[in-house]
Each structure stands twice: as structure tokens, then as C-alpha cells.
Amino acid sequence: GATLTGLTGNLKEMQLGYDMVVSTGGTVIWSGAGGLRLRDSAQMDVQAGGLVDWQSDADLTNFNFLTSSVENAGTWRRSAGAGDAVIDVTFNNLPTGLLDVQTGPVSLEQSGTLDGTITIATGASIDLANGSYRFLDGVTTAGGTAGQFRFQGSATIQMGNTPTDTDRKSVV
């Protein structure tokens, strides 16, 4: 797998749009202040074996009216940056996916399904806000996760594979 080192420097943005799907099975290093915008139902796929190494406080945002998404079957890691880093698109951590938050808060600000493995280092957090989040039965926290999930804004949390009214928890 090749390595893509893009989105470095100040105020650079890469836009993916109009139902575009970008897949990686290699390594993507995201550093610097440049944000990433997904537009009009764009989708970013991290394949099994792929790595997105997010080394900044830059945000991943949805632009326009149609919902965009990340489908993570590989590793989505936040390894640098102390400030709040926002994922403002639907984020789905698939059964083979690893969501690895090593530093700072990561705010999920749309909706998503959390499966696979999630690690949160000491002092780090995953903030769930303003969306519906579903933790599937197979989701695990690895390595004695010492960080925390925090609920902010208005979020609906569902636990388990089968939705029932008793599984839903609203957090305001």
C-alpha cells in the first residue's frame, strides 16, 4: 500500500463530492490545518488493512444538504493534536474497523454505527453529539480503554443489534 501525505499546511481543503467514493487500502497521513469536506453524498471508505492517521485538529465536514459518510473497515487513528477535532459526517466503524483515539477529543457530530474495536487513550475522549449512534453487540473496547465517551448536545444512543424502544437512550 502506498502512502498519501496530503492536507498539510494552513487552510488547504480537499473536497470530494457528488456521490464520489474514495477508497484507501494504504496509508493516508492527515496533518496540518487543512480540513476535508465531503459534499453531496460523498463517501470515504477505509478498507481492511488501510489506515487514516489524523495528526491535527482539522475537521472532517459535510458540505451542502446531502449526508456524506465515512465507512471504516480499517484503522481510523487520531495520533496528534490537542484540540477538538470534529467529524461532521456519518461515521460507521464496521466489524473489522478500529477507531483509535490517542489524543484530544474527537467529536462525532452526525450519526453513526459503532462496531469493531474502539480504543480511547487516557485523557482523550470521543464526544457524541447531535445525532443517533448505535453501538452494535460486537463492539469492543481494547487495551483497557482509559479515555471516555462524553455525550454533548442532543444525542440518541442505541445499544445492541435489534432496535427496541427500551434500547434507546436520549441524552440532552
Side-chain angles (χ1 to χ4, degrees):
T3 298
L4 170 67
T5 54
L7 302 173
T8 60
N10 292 322
L11 303 175
K12 294 180 183 175
E13 292 190 355
M14 180 172 79
Q15 290 193 35
L16 308 176
Y18 307 107
D19 296 320
M20 182 181 222
V21 175
V22 172
S23 295
T24 182
T27 299
V28 175
I29 298 172
W30 178 6
S31 61
L36 174 62
R37 284 187 181 181
L38 302 182
R39 176 184 181 138
D40 294 323
S41 299
Q43 182 173 308
M44 184 174 186
D45 289 343
V46 183
Q47 300 169 353
L51 167 67
V52 173
D53 191 358
W54 189 5
Q55 301 175 358
S56 78
D57 296 335
D59 297 336
L60 172 61
T61 59
N62 188 53
F63 181 73
N64 223 340
F65 301 106
L66 302 174
T67 302
S68 296
S69 66
V70 169
E71 303 293 321
N72 182 41
T75 299
W76 187 281
R77 175 178 298 139
R78 174 134 192 249
S79 62
D84 194 19
V86 174
I87 299 175
D88 192 19
V89 300
T90 297
F91 187 91
N92 295 313
N93 200 57
L94 303 176
T96 60
L98 168 62
L99 175 56
D100 181 17
V101 180
Q102 297 178 355
T103 185
V106 170
S107 295
L108 300 179
E109 296 197 354
Q110 289 292 326
S111 296
T113 300
L114 299 174
D115 200 351
T117 303
I118 299 171
T119 60
I120 310 169
T122 300
S125 67
I126 296 176
D127 300 344
L128 303 175
N130 305 322
S132 296
Y133 303 93
R134 188 170 179 189
F135 289 80
L136 295 183
D137 289 340
V139 69
T140 60
T141 55
T145 292
Q148 58 186 308
F149 283 100
R150 299 187 304 191
F151 303 100
Q152 300 177 341
S154 175
T156 301
I157 310 301
Q158 179 182 322
M159 307 300 281
N161 290 341
T162 306
T164 65
D165 288 337
T166 58
D167 290 336
R168 295 195 176 119
K169 309 287 186 241
S170 291
V171 180
V172 180

